[in-house]
Amino acid sequence: MSEENTHRLVELAAEAYVYGYPLVFDLMMVETCLHKGFGSMAPAPFNHFTHSDRLADADAHFVSVNNDTVYSIAQLDLSGGPVRLHVPDTGGAYYVMQFVDAWSNNFAYVGRRATGTEAGDWLVVPPGWAGTVPGDVRGVIDAPTSVVTIVGRNACDGPDDLAQRVRPLQEQLTLTHLEPGEHRTGLPAPDAGVPEELRFFEQLRVWMADFPPSAADRAYQDRFQPLGLLEEGPSPYVPAGAALVRALTEGLALGKERVEAASRPGAGDGTPGGSGGGWSMNPHLFDYNLDWFGVGTLDSSEWKIADREASYLARAVAARVGLWGNHGYEAVYAQTFQDADGAQLNGAHRYELRFEEPPPVEAFWSVTMYDTPDYYLVANPAGRYSVGDRTPGIVYGDDGALTVHISRERPADPVAAANWLPAPEGDFRPMLRLYMPERSVLDGRYGIPAVRRVDGSAHG
């Protein structure tokens, strides 16, 4: 193979990595939920919920997991027919059931913002289904792929609220088959004989065939034919020649570099005219879904990336930094790595984050601490992972302002300790979450205050 042809295949493999990373990463998380569990949640088979029995903590090794809500997660397999979801009445309390297809598209929402908080049943149907819809369901949710993740979140104010209010709601969430049928017990298995360095492409090949995307995406992925990604039957990667192996491995590394580079702060994910102070807030991080708009979604140009090919990198970045995150109109996530002077945030120093007025939301808000580069919750002796408007005992100033104190060690001052957000020893990244954000957040008029360093030298 000529060097020119090798270069072309390397570039093609990099494009395939960016395109396919969300599918592979999503389905690897589906497998984890099926067989190992998720954070504190036990594993559960297809079409069964598993519930968190506590707010997420440092044991929940999941990218940017939240500490505001307790999760109820179900992996749906619709290959044997539709599944009926029952949701209970939450009495006005915030909750959301987010529906995510195998490609990580958010294609439907049920919950306070989308459908209200009263009880009801919803029918989740597989692609191409043309059966009879029961008359007593509130609506039909058309799934783009035969495997779907439901990410349920119930707002929770702490252990007492979890025990007395949230857990009974979790127990009322049910999934039932509409009709008898054969259902998967696991995902299609990649060929075990494929070398580890080619495993990503084998996963992508098998899962791309089993969970086809939209027609427009299928037209795009036709370009990957020279890589063997469209071949059916036995894996082309078991007998792959040296030239193809080289192209795939170099392309994988190049694709990873592109996703990582685009995931870094300052890579174009900030809101124009928005936050400043080192914060990047992108209400449109999850706008890569261009084809599937079901119950509770907003099908408008405001919430779609105009360039389809650009949407593939955006989708990969969203999976990398916040898999299973919501559209901006459901919740907005802002992150920062820097203080007001542009220096990297680090646990060797002490900081303050002062809100002159509460962030503009219709539900609630919080600031959560994460380490880098994994974006996991940070273990700390206080067992506190976030601070927000529902944190018990937080203290507001006489002027109504709230100052969050960020440091590795607990502040000596009682007021500062009440508003303390523990930091790790090394670099960190706080994230501000705004649930049901107001318009000023979505259009960039709201600016998040900068994190200010308040010590003159290394702390501790």
Side-chain angles (χ1 to χ4, degrees):
M1 185 181 294
S2 70
E3 195 64 29
E4 181 180 348
N5 282 340
T6 299
H7 176 75
R8 184 175 62 86
L9 283 184
V10 169
E11 177 60 30
L12 199 60
E15 291 179 9
Y17 179 85
V18 171
Y19 173 79
Y21 172 78
L23 174 71
V24 173
F25 190 33
D26 181 280
L27 291 178
M28 286 174 64
M29 285 308 307
V30 169
E31 285 193 320
T32 296
C33 291
L34 292 173
H35 304 299
K36 297 181 181 178
F38 172 86
S40 66
M41 290 179 285
F46 276 124
N47 303 327
H48 289 77
F49 273 104
T50 181
H51 305 291
S52 178
D53 60 1
R54 64 178 186 268
L55 287 166
D57 57 21
D59 292 333
H61 288 174
F62 188 82
V63 173
S64 302
V65 67
N66 86 58
N67 183 248
D68 304 307
T69 64
V70 287
Y71 286 91
S72 295
I73 292 181
Q75 308 303 334
L76 304 190
D77 171 57
L78 306 173
S79 61
V83 171
R84 184 174 179 138
L85 165 69
H86 174 77
V87 295
D89 189 337
T90 67
Y94 179 84
Y95 88 99
V96 61
M97 294 282 141
Q98 169 195 0
F99 293 77
V100 189
D101 75 3
W103 290 87
S104 79
N105 294 304
N106 297 328
F107 66 91
Y109 295 93
V110 168
R112 177 175 154 184
R113 177 198 61 82
T115 58
T117 61
E118 64 270 25
D121 285 17
W122 300 87
L123 193 66
V124 190
V125 306
W129 186 76
T132 302
V133 177
D136 60 343
V137 299
R138 287 190 59 190
V140 174
I141 295 172
D142 291 293
T145 53
S146 60
V147 163
V148 165
T149 300
I150 298 179
V151 186
R153 301 173 177 90
N154 274 287
C156 180
D157 294 343
D160 291 343
D161 188 39
L162 175 59
Q164 296 169 16
R165 184 186 64 84
V166 177
R167 191 161 295 139
L169 292 173
Q170 291 178 322
E171 292 170 356
Q172 294 176 63
L173 283 170
T174 60
L175 292 164
T176 53
H177 300 303
L178 181 65
E179 52 204 28
E182 292 290 327
H183 291 266
R184 292 186 182 93
T185 57
L187 295 175
D191 191 319
V194 172
E196 183 60 33
E197 64 267 26
L198 301 184
R199 181 170 174 77
F200 172 87
F201 291 102
E202 173 65 1
Q203 289 172 310
L204 180 56
R205 181 188 75 89
V206 172
W207 290 340
M208 201 165 66
D210 221 65
F211 307 105
S214 67
D217 284 358
R218 287 199 299 274
Y220 174 84
Q221 70 187 28
D222 283 346
R223 71 185 62 199
F224 302 135
Q225 178 71 51
L227 302 175
L229 284 171
L230 305 185
E231 291 192 23
E232 300 178 1
S235 173
Y237 305 126
V238 174
L244 180 59
V245 171
R246 175 191 165 191
L248 290 173
T249 52
E250 291 183 8
L252 180 77
L254 181 59
K256 282 185 176 180
E257 284 179 16
R258 290 177 181 172
V259 174
E260 289 301 315
S263 300
R264 294 187 193 111
D269 61 346
T271 300
S275 307
W279 289 94
S280 60
M281 176 175 62
N282 185 3
H284 300 286
L285 180 62
F286 296 92
D287 288 4
Y288 51 80
N289 172 20
L290 306 179
D291 303 298
W292 315 107
F293 296 91
V295 172
T297 60
L298 300 183
D299 183 2
S300 71
S301 59
E302 180 184 1
W303 299 102
K304 297 177 188 175
I305 293 173
D307 183 336
R308 182 173 291 271
E309 289 197 21
S311 76
Y312 300 137
L313 180 58
R315 182 174 65 181
V317 168
R320 170 66 182 91
V321 303
L323 182 69
W324 299 347
N326 295 285
H327 274 100
Y329 47 76
E330 183 71 39
V332 166
Y333 317 96
Q335 63 177 354
T336 185
F337 296 80
Q338 300 175 338
D339 65 18
D341 298 318
Q344 169 67 51
L345 296 170
N346 187 280
H349 306 292
R350 293 182 287 114
Y351 305 88
E352 289 182 356
L353 174 59
R354 179 178 172 84
F355 295 96
E356 299 294 341
E357 296 178 350
V361 293
E362 294 181 25
F364 59 94
W365 65 270
S366 71
V367 183
T368 307
M369 177 61 68
Y370 298 96
D371 66 10
T372 65
D374 295 321
Y375 308 142
Y376 292 163
L377 294 175
V378 173
N380 64 88
R384 175 181 279 188
Y385 304 97
S386 64
V387 172
D389 56 1
R390 301 170 307 130
T391 301
I394 57 169
V395 179
Y396 291 82
D398 293 339
D399 58 358
L402 175 68
T403 301
V404 178
H405 296 266
I406 304 172
S407 61
R408 180 163 49 88
E409 297 176 359
R410 182 192 298 271
D413 177 72
V415 172
N419 297 355
W420 177 44
L421 181 60
E425 291 186 3
D427 293 346
F428 62 83
R429 178 206 69 169
M431 177 177 279
L432 175 68
R433 284 184 171 84
L434 308 172
Y435 291 85
M436 295 178 61
E438 294 182 3
R439 189 70 209 172
S440 62
V441 174
L442 301 178
D443 63 18
R445 285 179 291 130
Y446 173 68
I448 306 170
V451 177
R452 300 191 179 279
R453 181 176 162 186
V454 294
D455 63 339
S457 61
H459 174 59

